[in-house]
Amino acid sequence: MLTDTLPSNFMPSPARGRVLVFDSGVGGLTVAEEIRALGPALGIHYSADSGFFPYGDKSDEALRDRLPKVARRLVEYVRPDVFVIACNTASTLALPDVRAVLDIPVVGTVPAIKPAAQLTRTGTVGLLATPGTIRRAYTAELIDTFARDIQVIMHGSIELVKLAEAHARGEDLPVEAFAAAQAPLFEAPGGDRIDTIVLACTHFPLVRAQLVASAPQPVSYIDSGAAIARQTIRVLPPDTEGRGLGGHAWLTSPPEEAPDLALVLRRYGFPDIQSVADVPIEMTSAPTAL
Ligand code: DGL
């Protein structure tokens, strides 16, 4: 899927070690694919907070309470060398909270506003994310720091998250659904000048082709996936040789309650699906030493 987007001088990294990629649902698979392309010798595990999906419409309080607990429980199970939060909605809110309870490197995912500001020729950029990511102070700071002279038009869409999940399950969806999901960007004042859109939800690269096909004007859609893959390799501790062997997926609900998710995970190379739902997610003790 990604090979058509890789530069011709692309050199995979020989890095080994165990990486745990985390998202609310299937969106983080787009990041896992980038990490797999850059580090084919890594053992990549995947985890989805299926018991609390979607994140985009949850309150900040609920997410900040839950994320450190889920992260710690997953790390206790999987014992990765790096924990990747492949979710903008979670990272822009609770990256420090998760870092505070883990003693391994944690890589977050934040909107690719800086590269978008460098790429735009019209000076108008669209930001497509969940409603949660749109209202974050962190997102406002990114815009203030990197896109001060750029017009950034934002739209938060849970509908597009659901469309991406349905597409990943193999559902045939009309192009009009994607046109409607991104229309508020183009219909906003100045929207006819948008030439670059930041896909600031990891679900959205799953439907990049549908977004391109349904946009009313030529647009470059960019995301953070490749940058996250590079950062994951960069922070990997040096003594992780031989800890590869990935391919497991971990859910926070019983897999039989999420048959569609299981189907997509298998399709993306995670055949063994297990649940951490049988153990209550709560903070009881100090983080397990790794
Ligand atoms: N994939 C997540 C993100 O990057 C959000 C999806 C959800 O709403 O759960 O923001």
Side-chain angles (χ1 to χ4, degrees), residues 7-92:
S8 55
N9 60 352
F10 174 78
M11 284 284 289
S13 157
R16 292 178 177 276
R18 187 177 301 168
V19 174
L20 179 58
V21 179
F22 170 80
D23 182 35
S24 56
V26 302
L29 290 167
T30 61
V31 175
E33 288 237 307
E34 296 277 3
I35 297 173
R36 194 180 275 154
L38 188 61
L42 291 170
I44 302 174
H45 292 250
Y46 192 78
S47 51
D49 193 359
S50 47
F52 211 55
F53 173 85
Y55 277 2
D57 62 1
K58 299 293 185 304
S59 75
D60 293 4
E61 295 70 33
L63 285 173
R64 279 193 77 172
D65 178 58
R66 184 172 176 89
L67 279 157
K69 298 172 186 171
V70 173
R72 231 189 56 198
R73 171 52 38 86
L74 289 165
V75 167
E76 279 171 2
Y77 265 69
V78 184
R79 297 184 171 268
D81 300 302
V82 179
F83 185 70
V84 179
I85 307 179
C87 176
N88 293 263
T89 310
S91 303
T92 52

Side-chain angles (χ1 to χ4, degrees), residues 23-25 49 52-60 62-63 67 87-93 129-136 155-162 165 200-204:
D23 182 35
S24 56
D49 193 359
F52 211 55
F53 173 85
Y55 277 2
D57 62 1
K58 299 293 185 304
S59 75
D60 293 4
L63 285 173
L67 279 157
C87 176
N88 293 263
T89 310
S91 303
T92 52
L93 179 71
T130 64
T133 298
I134 294 293
R135 66 167 186 268
R136 299 264 186 272
H155 176 55
S157 175
I158 287 291
E159 178 58 21
L160 194 52
V161 174
K162 292 186 176 156
E165 293 256 334
C201 168
T202 52
H203 277 69
F204 298 168

